[in-house]
Amino acid sequence: METQIHGLTEKIADARSQATGQLQALSSLGDVQEWERAWLGPKGEITTMLRSLGTLPKDERPVAGRETQALRQELETAFAPIRDRIEREALDARLEDERVDVTLPGIDPQIGAIHPVSRMIDELVEIFGQLGFQAVFGPEVETGRYNFDLLNIPADHPARDVWDTILVDDPTAEIVMRTHTSPMQARTMERIDPPVRVIVPGRTYRYEAQDASHEWMFTQLEGLAVDRNITMTDLKGVLQEMARQLFGPERRVRFRCDYFPFVEPGVDFAVDCAICSGKGCRVCKQSGWLEMGGAGMVHPNVLRGVGYDPDEYTGFAFGLGIERIVMMKYGVDDLRIFNTNDLRFLKKFATAAVS
Ligand code: YSA
């Protein structure tokens, strides 16, 4: 009996000297956690000792229990200030490490800019909006029916070849990347009755060799107005107003005969070069004029094709090349740069946006 109690007292003394010895050697947060786990934790030495009290004879347990609890108390009291000191030191070191000098100059954020072509579309939507046109959008993958048939270009017509069409998958199904925004003429007229006043900005695709003024993917803006008594004068007035707002009040517009199967009469229209005021320069290729697109009075067959009566309604339509307009407005001499992601080029427009 005596030996057991004696044994426990020795064990407690041992534990005390070991635990306090280790305590003095703690130096890091890891040490602190490890020590606490080993001595005071639920699976630690003191708990194990308390659990083993059950093996003592009943009348000795209270004394042994008190002594063990006293040891726990003693160790907790000795541990607390050491733990607090080490935690504080670790926190101080971390704060020093992560110190931020708020007086250092900041890093300028990289500010993006709207692409010049998108910006031009926004500008045109605004201008035509003032003239009563609403912007609508159509599919870039089209059927031959909308890209050609309903535009008065029948299957065997040679005009079908001039569009350099990119076919999607099966050639017999004639699913095409739209070669122009004109398919939206029929799509719009099928959906609504006159009066119609819409513009259609969007991407178009042609199997075409690239050069300074041609891309295989480019952007057009279609315009369509159908109502009673619409004449060529309305077309000229609308395009003249657009040119005036886009390039300045003194700009002149030129219309020359051209052929498109979906208009009669058809024209191409140009604006006198804003860069040289029509005298001739590199941008207008010394002609004094910058071609902007095709236009004309909507062909009666196109109106008939969507169920409109050409004896009751007339209309005009036009299609502009947006990249070419940006080129004219800003004197850009190679259209391919629009798709190169060249930041030096794009940043010029970023600056123009904020100035
Ligand atoms: C004509 C009459 C209408 O009633 C309505 C619309 C049109 C335009 C017709 N759909 C068309 O696409 N005509 S077009 O082939 O001469 O192209 C119109 C404009 O798109 C051109 O003036 C040019 O500015 C631009 N364009 C054409 N091919 C291009 C191009 N831009 C860049 N790269 C190309 N490969």
Side-chain angles (χ1 to χ4, degrees), residues 163 179-182 185 206 208 213-216 218-220 222-223 260 262-263 291-296 316-324 335:
W163 299 98
T179 57
H180 47 180
T181 41
S182 302
Q185 289 191 22
R206 291 185 196 173
E208 204 158 15
S213 51
H214 292 87
E215 263 285 8
W216 65 272
F218 56 100
T219 323
Q220 286 192 339
E222 191 82 5
F260 299 96
F262 34 97
V263 282
E291 209 171 292
M292 301 184 71
F316 67 75
F318 56 85
L320 316 174
I322 308 270
E323 284 84 357
R324 301 258 180 98
L335 171 150

Side-chain angles (χ1 to χ4, degrees), residues 189-206:
M189 289 189 283
E190 279 182 345
R191 218 164 33 83
I192 54 172
D193 291 327
V196 176
R197 266 188 201 78
V198 291
I199 50 165
V200 189
R203 290 219 176 92
T204 52
Y205 304 82
R206 291 185 196 173

Side-chain angles (χ1 to χ4, degrees), residues 35-272:
W35 186 93
E36 190 173 24
R37 193 187 56 73
W39 292 101
L40 301 176
K43 289 184 181 160
E45 197 58 35
I46 303 292
T47 315
T48 312
M49 283 163 73
L50 284 170
R51 285 217 182 95
S52 71
L53 291 178
T55 61
L56 295 177
K58 221 170 178 186
D59 57 337
E60 290 170 12
R61 287 181 201 164
V63 181
R66 264 197 305 280
E67 278 189 37
T68 318
Q69 286 294 6
L71 173 62
R72 172 194 279 278
Q73 191 65 52
E74 199 183 310
L75 292 182
E76 277 174 356
T77 312
F79 175 60
I82 294 173
R83 178 200 56 211
D84 291 352
R85 176 179 52 78
I86 291 175
E87 280 181 356
R88 202 175 43 249
E89 283 170 1
L91 182 64
D92 286 349
R94 203 175 132 199
L95 287 175
E96 185 57 34
D97 244 27
E98 295 173 7
R99 191 193 191 92
V100 175
D101 184 349
V102 291
T103 64
L104 284 175
I107 300 165
D108 276 348
Q110 293 274 342
I111 297 174
I114 297 174
H115 191 277
V117 169
S118 303
R119 175 110 51 85
M120 181 53 73
I121 290 175
D122 291 348
E123 208 174 323
L124 288 166
V125 167
E126 175 73 29
I127 293 172
F128 283 110
Q130 290 167 18
L131 296 171
F133 287 78
Q134 193 189 346
V136 294
F137 300 87
E140 291 176 22
V141 178
E142 263 296 359
T143 59
R145 176 173 160 77
Y146 286 100
N147 201 80
F148 298 119
D149 301 338
L150 287 171
L151 288 167
N152 199 32
I153 316 174
D156 52 355
H157 197 285
R160 211 136 164 156
D161 299 337
V162 303
W163 299 98
D164 302 310
T165 313
I166 298 173
L167 291 166
V168 179
D169 287 343
D170 180 5
T172 54
E174 214 185 15
I175 307 293
V176 305
M177 298 305 294
R178 68 175 174 192
T179 57
H180 47 180
T181 41
S182 302
M184 273 305 282
Q185 289 191 22
R187 283 190 182 277
T188 306
M189 289 189 283
E190 279 182 345
R191 218 164 33 83
I192 54 172
D193 291 327
V196 176
R197 266 188 201 78
V198 291
I199 50 165
V200 189
R203 290 219 176 92
T204 52
Y205 304 82
R206 291 185 196 173
Y207 184 68
E208 204 158 15
Q210 288 165 286
D211 62 28
S213 51
H214 292 87
E215 263 285 8
W216 65 272
M217 177 182 79
F218 56 100
T219 323
Q220 286 192 339
L221 184 126
E222 191 82 5
L224 174 70
V226 183
D227 203 347
R228 292 191 177 89
N229 304 320
I230 292 225
T231 67
M232 193 82 181
T233 314
D234 299 308
L235 168 65
K236 285 181 146 182
V238 163
L239 292 178
Q240 169 79 58
E241 177 58 15
M242 179 205 71
R244 199 184 65 79
Q245 290 208 32
L246 216 48
F247 299 110
E250 66 286 356
R251 296 276 64 81
R252 289 178 302 137
V253 179
R254 181 189 72 182
F255 293 85
R256 290 192 308 189
C257 286
D258 201 352
Y259 172 71
F260 299 96
F262 34 97
V263 282
E264 182 53 44
V267 293
D268 76 47
F269 75 101
V271 177
D272 67 331

